[in-house]
Amino acid sequence: MVLLLQKIDKLYSKLENYHHSHQSQALSSSLEAFHTLVCSSLNSFLSTSRSAGSEVPSFPWIQQCFELIPIINNGFAKLVVAVDYPMTEWEGDSVEEYLRYTLKLLELCNSITCSLSHLGKERLSLSHGLSLVENSSPCLAVEHLRQIQVQPKSLSKDFRFQGNEEHGSREPFTTKKSVIHQALVVMEGMVFWVCGILMSSLVGNTKPYMEMRHSGGRLVSSLLAGLDLSVGEVIVENHGMLKEVKDINDSVAGLVSAIQIGRKSKAEAEELQRRLEMFEKMVEGLGKEVACLFNKVLAGRNQLLNGFQHQKH
């Protein structure tokens, strides 16, 4: 009887070890799939950057860059499902980390929206100056035809992450919590790296990008690898300013010069009008995407918080 019990214990022990090993392998595979999704999305963005060459940073380029955010967020959501670890089962520190991430993302969306709003106001001012040219008031128009002014922006004080630097090098990914935690680190670092690119491009200043690029620590830096160097060169070489803003400013300078020397300025006015119309569509298009992301993130936060409130009751 004792011998039989010993055999049963050994059998259960083997089954338990097999189950643990199988679960650990499944968790690692799910995390690897998330990393693969992130890397493939970044590589696609890098290919576009290289093929575009001198055309970046441009509005289409930063729009494609922004589209990385929902891709990474959706990839994280799929990982949560794949490891069968719904947020309602998360431990307190994981919930707090996720809520902190989404709050900062909402704040960044607001910063991007404010920058887009500023660019929209600058466009309206130029459109008014252009209407004065068309109404035969060239002298008055010159006073309004000033180049687009950017808004310097600093993000370092509000968007610095603690604890990410040390995570990921030693902890084995044998639990659902550890897998989710590393995925959160990657998602945070990647998404805010993207936001740094957008903010630098929209405000025409390299500072936001330079401040945000290392926010995810060594783990995120290793995933970015050459991509960060390539994008950094683009941002620094162009001082972060969008190609479309430079083009508009060049058109403004050409139109003002033509007016001041008394030359007919119809061609310059038409070119500026064309560029302003394109610029308006781009600003509005990106603004809608930012608003859509903001609403989705806010809805997800509210759903999570409501779920925990119901659990308490």
Side-chain angles (χ1 to χ4, degrees):
M1 183 66 179
V2 174
L3 185 61
L4 177 62
L5 289 174
Q6 289 177 342
K7 288 183 178 180
I8 292 175
D9 286 341
K10 287 182 180 179
L11 178 61
Y12 272 114
S13 178
K14 287 182 180 179
L15 287 173
E16 187 175 342
N17 289 336
Y18 172 79
H19 175 72
H20 180 75
S21 175
H22 179 73
Q23 184 185 45
S24 178
Q25 185 177 5
L27 291 172
S28 297
S29 297
S30 297
L31 183 61
E32 183 63 29
F34 175 68
H35 285 170
T36 299
L37 170 68
V38 172
C39 290
S40 62
S41 300
L42 291 172
N43 287 332
S44 176
F45 177 63
L46 176 60
S47 298
T48 301
S49 301
R50 287 173 174 169
S51 62
S54 61
E55 297 298 307
V56 294
S58 64
F59 245 105
W61 184 74
I62 65 168
Q63 193 148 4
Q64 184 185 18
C65 180
F66 182 79
E67 289 168 0
L68 291 172
I69 298 178
I71 290 175
I72 294 172
N73 283 346
N74 290 338
F76 177 79
K78 290 180 180 178
L79 172 65
V80 172
V81 174
V83 300
D84 190 24
Y85 194 38
M87 291 183 178
T88 50
E89 296 180 9
W90 288 9
E91 295 182 20
D93 54 345
S94 298
V95 174
E96 184 179 348
E97 185 178 1
Y98 177 79
L99 290 175
R100 185 170 59 247
Y101 157 71
T102 53
L103 179 60
K104 289 175 180 176
L105 180 53
L106 290 175
E107 292 172 357
L108 274 169
C109 283
N110 280 334
S111 294
I112 293 170
T113 299
C114 287
S115 296
L116 289 171
S117 178
H118 171 75
L119 290 176
K121 291 176 182 177
E122 292 285 287
R123 183 202 63 80
L124 279 174
S125 178
L126 287 175
S127 294
H128 175 60
L130 193 56
S131 69
L132 293 174
V133 176
E134 296 169 350
N135 292 330
S136 301
S137 304
C139 293
L140 187 58
V142 169
E143 297 180 11
H144 291 271
L145 288 171
R146 291 190 293 268
Q147 294 187 345
I148 292 179
Q149 302 296 313
V150 296
Q151 291 179 315
K153 184 81 174 178
S154 176
L155 301 174
S156 59
K157 292 182 180 179
D158 299 324
F159 299 98
R160 186 66 62 193
F161 304 101
Q162 304 295 328
N164 291 357
E165 190 70 27
E166 297 301 324
H167 183 77
S169 57
R170 295 184 298 272
E171 186 177 350
F173 306 117
T174 56
T175 66
K176 295 178 180 181
K177 179 182 177 181
S178 63
V179 167
I180 291 300
H181 185 67
Q182 195 204 78
L184 271 169
V185 170
V186 171
M187 181 168 65
E188 285 180 356
M190 292 296 181
V191 166
F192 297 126
W193 175 78
V194 167
C195 288
I197 294 173
L198 261 75
M199 287 304 302
S200 277
S201 300
L202 293 175
V203 303
N205 190 298
T206 61
K207 193 172 183 179
Y209 172 71
M210 300 305 291
E211 290 175 342
M212 297 289 284
R213 62 187 301 203
H214 297 308
S215 61
R218 288 192 298 268
L219 177 62
V220 173
S221 295
S222 66
L223 290 174
L224 288 171
L227 178 57
D228 179 59
L229 180 62
S230 176
V231 171
E233 289 176 353
V234 169
I235 297 293
V236 173
E237 287 176 8
N238 293 277
H239 305 289
M241 186 171 288
L242 289 169
K243 175 183 179 295
E244 290 79 8
V245 172
K246 290 181 179 179
D247 289 345
I248 288 174
N249 287 344
D250 288 343
S251 290
V252 170
L255 177 57
V256 170
S257 177
I259 291 173
Q260 289 176 335
I261 63 175
R263 182 167 57 83
K264 289 184 178 180
S265 55
K266 183 179 179 182
E268 288 85 354
E270 288 178 348
E271 179 63 13
L272 178 57
Q273 178 66 38
R274 183 185 68 82
R275 287 178 172 174
L276 288 175
E277 289 175 355
M278 290 178 58
F279 192 67
E280 179 182 15
K281 292 178 181 179
M282 292 174 182
V283 169
E284 288 181 352
L286 182 56
K288 289 179 181 178
E289 290 192 30
V290 175
C292 181
L293 176 65
F294 182 94
N295 291 333
K296 285 184 177 180
V297 173
L298 183 61
R301 277 176 60 87
N302 290 339
Q303 184 177 7
L304 177 60
L305 291 170
N306 289 337
F308 281 112
Q309 287 178 351
H310 289 311
Q311 277 188 336
K312 291 179 180 179
H313 295 302

